[in-house]
Amino acid sequence: MKLIEHFIGGKTYSGNSKRKSKVYDPATGEQSAEVKLATAQDVNTAVENALKAFESWSNTPPLQRARVIFKFKELIEKNSDELTKIIVSEHGKVYDDAKGSLIRGLEVVEYACGIPQMLKGEFTENVGSNVDSWSIRQPLGVCAGITPFNFPAMVPMWMFPMAIACGNTFVLKPSEKDPSCSTKLAELFKKAGLPDGVFNVVNGDKEAVDALINNKDIAAMSFVGSTPIAKYIYENCAKNEKRVQALGGAKNHCVVMPDCDLDQAVNGLMGAAYGSAGERCMAQSVAVAVGGIGDKLVKNLAKKVEALKVGPGMDKKSEMGPLVTKEHLEKVKSYVDIGEKEGAKLIVDGRNLKLQGYENGYYIGGCLFDHVTKDMRIYKEEIFGPVLSVVRAKNFNEALKLVNDHEFGNGVSIFTRDGDSGRTFSSKAKIGMVGINIPIPVPMAFHSFGGWKRSLFGDQHMHGPEGVRFYTKLKTITSRWPSGLRSDPEFVMPTMK
Ligand code: NAD
């Protein structure tokens, strides 16, 4: 059985833990590996290595750091097929979707190559007579990242390329459900010339997470995962005096206006609700049908949901792969049961899907509910599976209120041909990422990613300009070089003369 270990100080590290977790191929349900679960001591070893590496990495000129990152970018491109296959084999999503997610991560690496430009700072000549002032951004030290199962390459790549480009060193704790991708990325980064200890990977569960939270040498924590754990990370990192950004769960709405191009809306919704089997934090799980468009929308959606091609991720014909684990499959099915009991109308039921030759894989077909209401659990809670709920709203204002009253605020979109509706909606929605006729409005690497409300605890979004701010601290220097003249002591607050 393949054993997945840690990557610390530039090499494989076994550690002293006896605890292991099983890794499965979701397409077949067969165990593919075991992963070591780090002890606090293993975590502390990783942090010690990162702290040691920080001294010289933070002093390496940004341009030299960028050159290593550029090499890393080339190696990711060269190894993209292998990386994609790793994602498919442990997560289950279909090959092209997995490749797309890798590329969205790669784009952050490309952005990080421009770090010398981003760290230029600001300068003002003569803030006072013969006094100059400038602001610079300096790295924080050792940063850590804890990531979810659903994007084993992309989400870690939202974090560590930016942190490392800024001059920090990094300890990553990926999801124990699909850990192999992170180790492969660490190996490639080393091959690109990254000094040992700058990027470390510890595998583990709560024990490793708590050790990261409690380690005083970690200056900043980036987290992406479910809301309860995001809140736990936010509160406890703050208690331990760390800078923290903790991204949580979501329930993304798609508002379908009566004037929209219905085919566009239906196709957009199909990809956004059922792509990656709904295991995306930007998946659309609620369609809000406004005015009289509901019946037509549901009819058109139902036809396509029934025709969805579900199968193993490596089969080119598959549009949707399995869910990540057996437990998650059971959880998603149980939400469909709940929805029926709550009185929502189940239009398409994917619970009994069976695939010949893959009887033990974690498959479920697409599910579609109509007449879902805001008091139902299937509306309030994140299901994280291929289950789309259609809610009816009388008008634009009622739809907007639904969006704004929901506890989550990650992404939202509106389909309309009316500029006024689109503009008003994007301005008034209390949501971090908004799409107008764009089903999944994930910002590009040179913008920043993040939600509002209980989808993000902290101040800064991830990657892009916000990433640079999160992974650096501001220093402002004020300087005078008096020639000859020695001024008398001043006892009043200096002001511009
Ligand atoms: P999760 O919260 O279960 O796990 C995330 C990480 O936290 C993992 O590394 C895991 O090992 C660790 N963890 C789990 N339980 C813990 C505990 N009790 N104490 C300490 N650490 C713990 O999330 P998941 O199931 O891996 O991922 C799915 C969730 O992530 C969904 O809620 C999804 O919306 C969210 N997500 C959010 C974003 C975003 O940008 N907002 C992006 C991707 C995923």
Side-chain angles (χ1 to χ4, degrees):
M1 182 64 61
K2 181 179 147 195
L3 178 64
I4 303 162
E5 304 199 273
H6 318 294
F7 188 89
I8 297 177
K11 49 184 183 294
T12 303
Y13 181 86
S14 299
N16 62 6
S17 177
K18 302 248 171 325
R19 291 197 312 126
K20 290 180 204 140
S21 173
K22 291 178 180 170
V23 179
Y24 293 92
D25 178 351
T28 60
E30 275 164 27
Q31 189 185 345
S32 59
E34 286 184 311
V35 58
K36 281 230 167 139
L37 300 175
T39 59
Q41 200 185 327
D42 298 333
V43 169
N44 294 343
T45 303
V47 179
E48 277 161 27
N49 273 267
L51 194 61
K52 206 163 131 223
F54 177 71
E55 206 177 310
S56 100
W57 184 246
S58 58
N59 277 316
T60 303
L63 184 60
Q64 279 179 28
R65 298 202 295 252
R67 285 184 183 141
V68 175
I69 295 166
F70 198 85
K71 262 266 156 58
F72 180 46
K73 170 196 118 68
E74 288 177 334
L75 287 173
I76 296 171
E77 283 164 344
K78 252 193 209 143
N79 291 272
S80 65
D81 180 55
E82 187 186 342
L83 283 161
T84 304
K85 283 179 179 154
I86 294 175
I87 299 172
V88 176
S89 70
E90 293 184 355
H91 177 281
K93 63 180 85 185
V94 300
Y95 182 92
D96 286 346
D97 182 38
K99 185 79 171 276
S101 72
L102 177 71
I103 289 168
R104 292 308 292 263
L106 177 67
E107 286 164 3
V108 180
V109 179
E110 285 171 336
Y111 177 75
C113 290
I115 199 68
Q117 169 72 13
M118 292 180 256
L119 293 179
K120 276 195 321 199
E122 292 177 326
F123 186 94
T124 310
E125 186 183 33
N126 269 344
V127 285
S129 304
N130 297 320
V131 177
D132 301 326
S133 184
W134 65 96
S135 300
I136 56 173
R137 302 206 70 100
Q138 294 189 321
L140 309 174
V142 181
C143 300
I146 298 167
T147 52
F149 78 82
N150 66 321
F151 284 110
M154 182 182 81
V155 171
M157 283 199 276
W158 285 351
M159 304 172 181
F160 73 82
M162 294 305 302
I164 288 172
C166 290
N168 302 285
T169 55
F170 205 88
V171 178
L172 171 68
K173 207 270 337 143
S175 169
E176 63 276 37
K177 290 175 189 148
D178 46 14
S180 294
C181 206
S182 297
T183 315
K184 181 72 193 170
L185 288 169
E187 286 165 3
L188 293 178
F189 218 165
K190 179 182 163 85
K191 218 167 151 191
L194 192 74
D196 293 347
V198 176
F199 181 42
N200 309 277
V201 180
V202 285
N203 288 303
D205 55 5
K206 182 171 166 47
E207 187 174 337
V209 169
D210 287 342
L212 288 167
I213 293 172
N214 292 321
N215 191 304
K216 298 281 180 228
D217 287 325
I218 292 177
M221 175 75 82
S222 301
F223 173 87
V224 176
S226 59
T227 289
I229 312 296
K231 189 164 157 32
Y232 173 78
I233 299 281
Y234 181 67
E235 289 173 351
N236 288 288
C237 285
K239 252 185 226 159
N240 281 282
E241 302 173 7
K242 294 185 198 327
R243 185 177 286 204
V244 53
Q245 50 179 184
L247 279 61
K251 193 83 182 174
N252 306 309
H253 295 55
C254 175
V255 174
V256 183
M257 294 296 288
D259 62 15
C260 75
D261 179 323
L262 190 61
D263 286 345
Q264 268 180 23
V266 167
N267 285 335
L269 264 165
M270 285 303 297
Y274 302 101
S276 199
E279 292 170 321
R280 289 183 184 141
C281 63
M282 289 292 275
Q284 283 179 342
S285 46
V286 179
V288 185
V290 179
I293 204 163
D295 290 348
K296 248 190 186 164
L297 175 71
V298 171
K299 192 169 147 232
N300 291 8
L301 278 170
K303 267 191 265 167
K304 296 209 175 212
V305 180
E306 275 161 2
L308 260 176
K309 295 190 191 83
V310 183
M314 288 308 293
D315 184 340
K316 282 277 174 202
K317 292 191 290 299
S318 304
E319 293 168 325
M320 195 173 97
L323 292 174
V324 68
T325 58
K326 196 168 191 312
E327 294 71 38
H328 191 55
L329 174 66
E330 294 312 322
K331 181 178 155 193
V332 172
K333 280 185 177 171
S334 78
Y335 267 111
V336 182
D337 301 344
I338 291 168
E340 272 192 310
K341 280 197 201 109
E342 286 178 315
K345 193 166 170 198
L346 187 57
I347 305 290
V348 185
D349 182 357
R351 281 174 297 186
N352 297 319
L353 180 95
K354 281 272 167 289
L355 285 184
Q356 215 181 357
Y358 294 93
E359 286 79 3
N360 296 322
Y362 312 136
Y363 299 94
I364 179 170
C367 299
L368 178 67
F369 276 112
D370 193 7
H371 296 290
V372 174
T373 57
K374 63 180 184 189
D375 49 301
M376 292 179 183
R377 278 185 63 194
I378 57 162
Y379 174 74
K380 291 195 276 199
E381 297 170 21
E382 183 181 41
I383 300 173
F384 221 55
V387 183
L388 177 63
S389 295
V390 178
V391 180
R392 310 285 182 121
K394 276 201 232 42
N395 52 38
F396 174 87
N397 286 337
E398 199 178 301
L400 181 63
K401 188 168 169 9
L402 271 173
V403 168
N404 285 346
D405 286 351
H406 206 285
E407 67 168 307
F408 296 120
N410 218 36
V412 72
S413 71
I414 184 167
F415 276 84
T416 179
R417 300 307 305 167
D418 176 49
D420 181 31
S421 304
R423 188 178 182 282
T424 307
F425 185 79
S426 65
S427 167
K428 301 283 179 210
K430 293 179 185 158
I431 304 284
M433 295 169 283
V434 181
I436 303 172
N437 298 316
I438 299 284
I440 311 183
V442 175
M444 294 297 284
F446 35 94
H447 288 264
S448 301
F449 183 105
W452 286 11
K453 298 187 273 185
R454 302 191 80 237
S455 294
L456 189 154
F457 301 101
D459 303 319
Q460 307 278 354
H461 289 195
M462 283 197 181
H463 65 70
E466 295 257 288
V468 176
R469 282 193 281 273
F470 183 77
Y471 290 122
T472 55
K473 54 193 168 195
L474 187 69
K475 182 182 279 178
T476 305
I477 299 147
T478 308
S479 142
R480 174 166 60 187
W481 293 96
S483 54
L485 273 179
R486 291 282 174 267
S487 49
D488 295 329
E490 287 184 20
F491 299 102
V492 295
M493 189 75 185
T495 55
M496 249 274 280
K497 295 191 184 93

